């Protein structure tokens, strides 16, 4: 079983600040490839948003963690 996570490192007042996030939808995926597909979708959606609103960032990682059931 797998769940989504994100790590966002944004520029705040010229300083890089990183924060880890769990998926707000709390989706659990049976297979890694399904989780990775959703991670890719979320990543590109966030990049569109950050680009459109010119939000400065240093690094954004969206991926999958294995979870115990």
């Amino acid at each position: 079983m797998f769940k989504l996570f994100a790590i966002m490192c944004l520029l705040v007042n010229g300083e890089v600040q990183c924060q880890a996030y769990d998926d707000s939808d709390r989706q659990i995926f049976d297979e890694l490839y399904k989780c990775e597909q959703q991670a890719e979708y979320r990543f590109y959606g966030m990049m569109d948003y950050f680009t459109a609103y010119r939000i400065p960032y240093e690094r954004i990682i969206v991926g999958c963690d294995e979870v115990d059931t």
Side-chain angles (χ1 to χ4, degrees), residues 18-59:
C18 296
Q19 180 71 39
Y21 297 93
D22 285 328
D23 177 31
S24 61
D25 292 341
R26 302 190 194 285
Q27 295 179 8
I28 300 294
F29 299 90
D30 292 332
E31 299 179 33
L32 179 58
Y33 84 92
K34 290 180 182 178
C35 183
E36 289 173 337
Q37 287 176 334
Q38 185 64 19
E40 180 179 0
Y41 173 79
R42 296 276 183 94
F43 174 80
Y44 286 111
M46 284 195 310
M47 290 296 91
D48 288 345
Y49 179 83
F50 277 65
T51 301
Y53 291 98
R54 296 185 176 162
I55 299 171
Y57 64 91
E58 180 72 21
R59 180 179 351 165

